[in-house]
Amino acid sequence: MAARFLPTLGAALALAVPALAQPQRDTLTIGITQFPSTFHPNIDSMAAKTYVLGFARRPMTAYGTDWTLACLLCETLPTLENGLAVRETTAEGRPGLRVTYELRADARWGDGTPISAADLRFAWEAGRNGETGIGPAEFYRSAYELIVEDARTITLRFDKVTFDFASLGEFQPLPAHVERARWEQEPRTYRSRTAYDTEPANPALWSGPYRITAVQPGAGVTLERNAAWQGAAPAFRRIQIRSVENTAALEAQLLAGQVDMVSGELGLPVEQVAALERRTAGRFKVEYKSGLVYEHLDLRLDNPILADLRVRQALLLAIDRAQIVARLFEGRQVVAHGNVNPLDPMHDAGVPQWPFDPARAAALLDAAGWPRGADGIRRNAAGERLSIELMTTAGNRAREAVQQVLQGMWRQAGIEARIRNEPPRVFFAETLSKRKFQGAALFAWISAPESVPRSTLHSDEIPTEARNWSGQNYPGYRNPEMDALLETIPQALDRDRRRALFSRLQAIYAADLPALPLWFRADAHVWPQWLENVRPTGHLNPSSLWVEEWRVKP
């Protein structure tokens, strides 16, 4: 009965105190579909971790919404022209580079300790030690010396000159006053003892507008304003991130008001959002952002079945990707014919393609010694079924639907697909990173503009226990020419030459099929009408890196 009086009471209050007419929003609740496997910024690559840490940390450099590189934690981006990057010759007589970075004067850890050259020195030492398991390994190998110039300045010496030398990527400072002693105790087990996972609410770990104050494993993360942050004040006192791995359940929470927004970086599939948008008629702001997100199938090349190139070719020829995109994604995805996105300046439109061709797939499988059996499933001479395990992240409605379609299409070709899924934090942190999958793994890579895919394709990047599972070449792909290209491309300073080398890389990828390209993904961002200035980037660096610009609409 009391509810009948609310409009009248609200009108009276609005006349007396206009500021109360709009609810005061000091908390923003965000829904995502994954939970980070670790909060350590330099260990493991996972979209959920990158997104969450975007609120709580600042990397040295990042690509913005305009896809150009900028300093976030440094004062000035080094260039050859401004003298912060200088060519030199290494002791071995090779072309090298000295690159100097100065940390921002106002950079602080959450406990008030200045972020210093000692923190970069510690991160570099930990990365140089292979037992730590920090990647990318090639960066730490190439950056053979770090010189502390003063409390805020370091110089890195590289044993080669690369076109993207100014980008420090995943090399980020670590709070030495918290982490160094833990690491020095035993580098090999450091990743399981780091304060980022044992005491994530320690303010000394965080350098962004927010700091993590509470973690509910597998369920959520609470962030509150970082009192030591010296930049523009963020709009919200608290950000609550909820991890809801089932996309149907996440949509239900959005509609019920339990979450205010769904991150496009790892949220609802585009077709689910398109249907939601039609049903809710303007309740939410929606933006579909195409970007450098490569949905594909990694294949375990140690598996004797998948080691046969003819089988890999047949698997791809048996998939009608255009039909999947049209029917499951309302045509909003772009069919991928390789691993380089058409939005990337290094994309080669002439890359060899593998269009849907069931007859050719059948011929390849026959030639590979897999004739059809009486039940329609192919068998080899030993009577073994042509059966492949197909895995993805459990609860992702779009990927689970894709699995069902792939299973049916492969069945038509005489291939049995056995579906087995896992929660994202297990799938990424254990099954993929430690190469425990046995068949095909469906997931996406997110990259930076003009990114050289060394970590996913170079044979040195195959994760092993000896390297504490550093590296992202999960298929176990080996090709000497590909290795040489991945080493040469970064050193090709002329863009036209670099483009030619990238074209060769794409041709080899299409010929070898270390993974099966599916499509380049568009992400659907869903925001409340009262939230402004969230700017998706369409690449590796998430919108959360600029959270201080987010505002509540007046």
Side-chain angles (χ1 to χ4, degrees), residues 512-543:
D512 288 358
L513 294 179
L516 303 185
L518 295 177
W519 41 80
F520 294 108
R521 204 175 75 202
D523 288 332
H525 299 258
V526 185
W527 308 308
Q529 290 289 354
W530 46 261
L531 184 62
E532 296 182 328
N533 292 353
V534 184
R535 298 184 297 150
T537 66
H539 56 69
L540 184 66
N541 297 131
S543 57

Side-chain angles (χ1 to χ4, degrees), residues 470-514:
S470 173
Q472 297 173 316
N473 184 348
Y474 303 141
Y477 175 60
R478 293 176 173 85
N479 181 316
E481 185 182 359
M482 180 66 84
D483 285 354
L485 279 169
L486 293 167
E487 293 163 9
T488 302
I489 289 174
Q491 300 177 68
L493 305 186
D494 178 77
R495 176 166 273 205
D496 288 339
R497 179 168 181 262
R498 198 157 68 243
R499 186 175 286 110
L501 294 171
F502 254 108
S503 293
R504 180 57 187 156
L505 180 151
Q506 292 167 77
I508 295 174
Y509 191 95
D512 288 358
L513 294 179

Side-chain angles (χ1 to χ4, degrees), residues 186-494:
E186 188 178 12
R188 175 163 288 278
T189 61
Y190 165 66
R191 63 189 298 156
S192 64
R193 294 181 292 101
T194 170
Y196 282 101
D197 293 328
T198 58
E199 47 179 284
N202 185 338
L205 302 173
W206 310 116
S207 60
Y210 291 89
R211 64 181 183 88
I212 292 177
T213 56
V215 172
Q216 293 177 281
V221 179
T222 301
L223 303 108
E224 297 186 1
R225 284 179 183 150
N226 180 0
W229 170 253
Q230 300 294 306
F236 302 96
R237 180 175 62 86
R238 176 186 293 117
I239 289 180
Q240 184 72 48
I241 297 177
R242 291 188 179 181
S243 175
V244 185
E245 293 173 349
N246 184 288
T247 53
L250 179 56
E251 180 182 341
Q253 291 197 19
L254 177 69
L255 290 170
Q258 295 172 321
V259 299
D260 298 311
M261 63 173 273
V262 175
S263 157
E265 285 87 348
L266 57 167
L268 301 174
V270 291
E271 78 287 354
Q272 189 174 345
V273 171
L276 172 71
E277 191 177 17
R278 289 190 291 269
R279 291 197 315 272
T280 56
R283 177 177 168 185
F284 303 102
K285 288 196 290 189
V286 175
E287 180 175 333
Y288 301 95
K289 182 72 173 181
S290 297
L292 304 180
V293 187
Y294 173 49
E295 197 81 15
H296 67 289
L297 289 161
D298 262 9
L299 303 176
R300 176 68 184 251
L301 300 182
D302 305 295
N303 182 328
I305 295 174
L306 297 172
D308 190 327
L309 176 60
R310 294 167 297 184
V311 173
R312 301 200 298 276
Q313 293 170 338
L315 284 168
L316 187 54
L317 289 165
I319 303 173
D320 191 344
R321 290 168 288 171
Q323 182 186 91
I324 294 175
V325 165
R327 293 191 175 183
L328 293 187
F329 302 111
E330 300 189 359
R332 296 178 185 269
Q333 317 290 31
V334 176
V335 172
H337 299 294
N339 61 325
V340 180
N341 195 303
L343 296 172
D344 194 291
M346 294 296 112
H347 174 256
D348 182 358
V351 66
Q353 300 183 7
W354 296 91
F356 179 55
D357 191 339
R360 189 178 173 193
L364 283 166
L365 292 173
D366 288 339
W370 295 96
R372 282 189 185 269
D375 60 355
I377 298 300
R378 295 175 179 273
R379 288 173 169 78
N380 62 14
E384 298 167 329
R385 297 166 68 86
L386 182 50
S387 183
I388 296 169
E389 182 180 75
L390 176 59
M391 299 187 68
T392 194
T393 50
N396 186 305
R397 193 161 75 180
R399 284 187 176 144
E400 289 175 343
V402 168
Q403 279 184 308
Q404 295 296 324
V405 175
L406 291 178
Q407 187 179 51
M409 289 180 173
W410 282 347
R411 175 87 189 186
Q412 291 296 313
I415 305 164
E416 178 183 65
R418 308 185 317 276
I419 293 175
R420 183 173 74 84
N421 297 335
E422 294 176 335
R425 60 189 181 278
V426 177
F427 180 70
F428 289 112
E430 290 291 327
T431 303
L432 276 178
S433 67
K434 296 183 179 179
R435 304 191 67 230
K436 294 180 180 179
F437 72 107
Q438 299 302 313
L442 171 62
F443 66 103
W445 284 124
I446 308 173
S447 62
E450 206 170 327
S451 179
V452 181
R454 179 190 173 98
S455 67
T456 59
L457 293 176
H458 198 288
S459 60
D460 285 350
E461 300 293 338
I462 299 172
T464 62
E465 186 174 6
R467 288 181 50 191
N468 213 352
W469 307 109
S470 173
Q472 297 173 316
N473 184 348
Y474 303 141
Y477 175 60
R478 293 176 173 85
N479 181 316
E481 185 182 359
M482 180 66 84
D483 285 354
L485 279 169
L486 293 167
E487 293 163 9
T488 302
I489 289 174
Q491 300 177 68
L493 305 186
D494 178 77

Side-chain angles (χ1 to χ4, degrees), residues 16-95:
V17 189
L20 296 180
Q22 293 293 330
Q24 185 174 358
R25 304 184 190 277
D26 67 349
T27 299
L28 177 68
T29 304
I30 304 172
I32 62 175
T33 55
Q34 298 175 14
F35 189 84
S37 59
T38 176
F39 291 103
H40 194 293
N42 303 40
I43 294 176
D44 288 347
S45 295
M46 188 177 178
K49 181 189 78 172
T50 302
Y51 184 76
V52 172
L53 296 196
F55 298 103
R57 287 184 61 89
R58 284 295 171 268
M60 293 290 286
T61 62
Y63 290 91
T65 55
D66 60 357
W67 291 27
T68 60
L69 189 67
C71 270
L72 292 192
L73 200 58
C74 50
E75 292 282 8
T76 306
L77 201 65
T79 67
L80 293 168
E81 291 73 22
N82 66 18
L84 293 177
V86 179
R87 292 176 182 266
E88 64 177 7
T89 301
T90 68
E92 293 77 22
R94 294 187 298 184

